[in-house]
Amino acid sequence: MRPSSAVTALLAATALLFTAGCSSTPAGAPGGESSTSRSPGTKPSASASSSAPLAPAKGSVKVDRTLTEGLDSPWGLAALPDGDLLVSSRDSGKIFRVSAESGKKTELGSVPGVSAGGEGGLLGIAVPPSYGVDHMIYAYFTTESDNRIARLVYNEDKPAGGQLGAPDTVFRGIPKGVTHNGGRIAFGPDKMLYVGTGESGERGLAQDKESLGGKILRMTPDGEPVHGNPEADSVVYSYGHRNVQGLAWDAEKRLWASEFGQDTWDELNLIRPGRNYGWPEAEGKSKQSGTTDPVAQWKTSEASPSGIAFAKGSIWMASLRGERLWRIPMDGTRPLAEPQAFLTGDYGRLRTVLADGSGGLWLVTSETDGRGSPGKKDDRILHLKVS
């Protein structure tokens, strides 16, 4: 029996409604913001609340084990599909694999062309979604002329120290300096590569859209502009940054970034494509026309933020000068309570934090970077239980 015309119309309308509510565009990418996204400072509504429970206003942190010790100037951290960790050494240019079970370190090899000095060297590393097929590792590093991104084949069947293939440069020309080299890289939910850069000490570069300095970049794994970026044929995703140090996505696939301020305010920013984040005209919550204020800010003595991660409904931010781990419980795009500090002074400078995929965190210390007071066991990777 054929359905009546009324039933047919009802089925068609239902299908259309279902399709409209199931867009395949990833949230956090241009045109793909989640329905739960709203501007910082606005009140949540019933339609804007996530199905996931909110984090408690007050949380907890427990260091349940030290995974490994004796690392030299660790900077980048990335997880392999089996849970083991890759960690980069800024000053030596080497990448190590650390067993997530035993903490055993295996040297993969050195990245050719690294020129370490000041805040430059081998910085961020990332494992692409295609790793299971191509066994590529991505690295951001400083050379004699610029900061660039290369990918290298990792062959764990070769002897330790010789497991990295020749670098294939996918992107070059990012300004370098003694300071403010940026360096954090990460693959987003849309499988594109996101890159945090610094203005290399030349403040004007942050507002120059033709410059790669003081930006967040979005590109394909081959280093090409992504269709849908704010400007055609450009990898620039946002601008007006001083020195982006952390990138992470929340449960609704919104992109967040931590950033060094100068003398007054360090920042946590919700990143939206095409937005101007103010530097050098604005630092912290300036309410300046044409710029986007941070969602949260800290005195530079309490933060100097580096890596960030999202876990248990909160953003976790590692702090260098502040020597503490900040917890920012989130309600959508705004903090639901004041940020809470943990581990203050217990392990010195904290460089990188990474979600472990099971609700916990990996945390990398940074006492051997030339600005700390390293002990015999520094630097370390710690595992944290958090709530």
Side-chain angles (χ1 to χ4, degrees), residues 17 35-36 52 64 76 113 164 167 195 209 215 219 224 257 261 263 265 271 278 287-288 306 316 348 359-360 382:
L17 178 63
S35 61
T36 64
D64 67 341
L164 293 178
V195 182
K209 293 184 182 180
K215 308 294 190 296
M219 63 187 70
E224 298 295 329
D263 299 317
W265 298 114
I271 303 301
K287 297 183 180 180
Q288 182 171 309
S306 191
W316 302 84
L382 309 171

Side-chain angles (χ1 to χ4, degrees), residues 293-328:
D293 278 354
V295 173
Q297 63 183 21
W298 293 261
K299 295 179 180 178
T300 56
S301 60
E302 297 176 343
S304 295
S306 191
I308 59 173
F310 184 83
K312 295 289 185 70
S314 296
I315 294 172
W316 302 84
M317 186 176 79
S319 297
L320 293 164
R321 182 181 173 192
E323 297 187 355
R324 66 200 74 182
L325 178 68
W326 285 102
R327 173 187 183 267
I328 307 98

